[in-house]
Amino acid sequence: MEYSRFLDCLEADFARLRAVVSGDLSAAVPSCPGWTVADLTRHVGRVYLHKTLAMREGAEPDVWPPKELEDEEPLALLDQAYAGLRQEFAARRPEDPAGTWYTPDQTVGFWIRRMAQETVIHRIDAELGAGLPVAPIPDDLAVDGIDELLKVFVAFSVAEWGDYFTDILADSPGRTYVVRTDGAAWRARTGPGLFAVEDGAGDGAADVTVSGPQAAVLRRLWNRESAGEPSEVTVEGAPEAVEELRRCLVTATQ
């Protein structure tokens, strides 16, 4: 996706998020256990501020969040933080340097992509908390989100912070996963200390296959499906293999 496209998606999803969270701030968010809509709103605002500082200062803040943010009214914090984020994006080029947690990409462009994906997931959280229908997710954004989740979150996290995955992967017999959606596919391999991803379904059988429409697969992998509604995603494979993938996804996105 072009960075201009990410920014357009960010704008649209923020507008939807902002409209939804202006309702009942005390409502529970089922996809974020223990959080209310107010907690979700405050979290998104803090994330925007954190990334703004990572670009402005060239490194992610060491201590976060600052204590003074604790008393900020959630909607005011969200509005202020989003305005600052967009101003920072407008003042910089995607290739300009920025501090990020993802070693291979230390640029503003990383945060443009990440904030577009962060916002679409959290506007789904807001919709689920408000009991509203989940608005459509553009196909290109959903495919990119799946790609980011598998490669940037899971594969990189296992390689960089492997200790967090020891209980999941140390005794893994070595499994193969295929994630497939319209026009895109990924093949992942696991094993002790390993989670490797390549584009395409590859050759040979897979232990687990996850398939469905783009937005449905994104929501399934992020555990953002609507409770009580039939899933559009088909998951085929042994339960223990499916559970290995699920635990890797949850650990990488905590």
Side-chain angles (χ1 to χ4, degrees):
M1 290 176 63
E2 297 289 334
Y3 290 113
S4 59
R5 174 65 175 148
F6 281 124
L7 289 171
D8 288 344
C9 290
L10 170 60
E11 181 179 11
D13 282 314
F14 177 79
R16 172 65 173 167
L17 168 70
R18 183 60 176 80
V20 173
V21 299
S22 63
D24 183 3
L25 288 171
S26 66
V29 180
S31 48
C32 301
W35 278 14
T36 64
V37 172
D39 295 324
L40 174 67
T41 304
R42 188 175 287 109
H43 167 77
V44 177
R46 288 173 176 173
V47 167
Y48 289 163
L49 285 175
H50 184 269
K51 307 326 172 197
T52 299
L53 290 175
M55 290 184 284
R56 188 176 298 160
E57 299 177 0
E60 294 187 278
D62 289 333
V63 179
W64 195 263
K67 290 184 178 180
E68 56 265 27
L69 293 184
E70 294 178 3
D71 297 327
E72 286 278 350
E73 194 276 325
L75 294 175
L77 173 63
L78 181 65
D79 290 341
Q80 175 188 355
Y82 180 70
L85 180 73
R86 291 307 301 255
Q87 288 172 3
E88 205 66 28
F89 284 154
R92 300 176 184 275
R93 299 170 301 172
E95 62 269 24
D96 285 347
T100 83
W101 51 263
Y102 184 60
T103 307
D105 190 351
Q106 298 288 299
T107 69
V108 170
F110 175 83
W111 288 128
I112 293 174
R113 180 195 195 191
R114 179 83 285 281
M115 290 302 94
Q117 295 295 347
E118 178 90 1
T119 303
V120 71
I121 293 301
H122 284 320
R123 69 96 161 152
I124 294 170
D125 290 328
E127 290 164 329
L128 295 175
L132 296 173
V134 173
I137 302 168
D139 291 344
D140 56 349
L141 186 67
V143 168
D144 183 80
I146 298 166
D147 188 83
E148 185 202 42
L149 176 56
L150 294 174
K151 296 176 182 177
V152 175
F153 276 89
V154 189
F156 179 76
S157 295
V158 172
E160 191 75 6
W161 303 293
D163 288 350
Y164 289 100
F165 299 85
T166 299
D167 291 345
I168 306 168
L169 295 174
D171 297 323
S172 174
R175 296 184 170 105
T176 301
Y177 299 87
V178 168
V179 177
R180 182 184 290 110
T181 188
D182 297 340
W186 300 261
R187 191 176 186 91
R189 293 180 295 109
T190 63
L194 173 70
F195 193 101
V197 181
E198 59 186 27
D199 292 330
D203 299 324
D207 295 290
V208 173
T209 300
V210 180
S211 59
Q214 296 96 327
V217 172
L218 178 70
R219 291 180 61 188
R220 176 62 174 259
L221 296 181
W222 271 101
N223 194 30
R224 258 64 179 191
E225 290 186 304
S226 300
E229 293 184 6
S231 177
E232 297 179 82
V233 178
T234 299
V235 180
E236 299 172 308
E240 60 272 18
V242 174
E243 178 65 6
E244 180 182 84
L245 176 62
R246 187 197 68 80
R247 292 180 66 197
C248 285
L249 292 167
V250 169
T251 300
T253 56
Q254 285 179 340

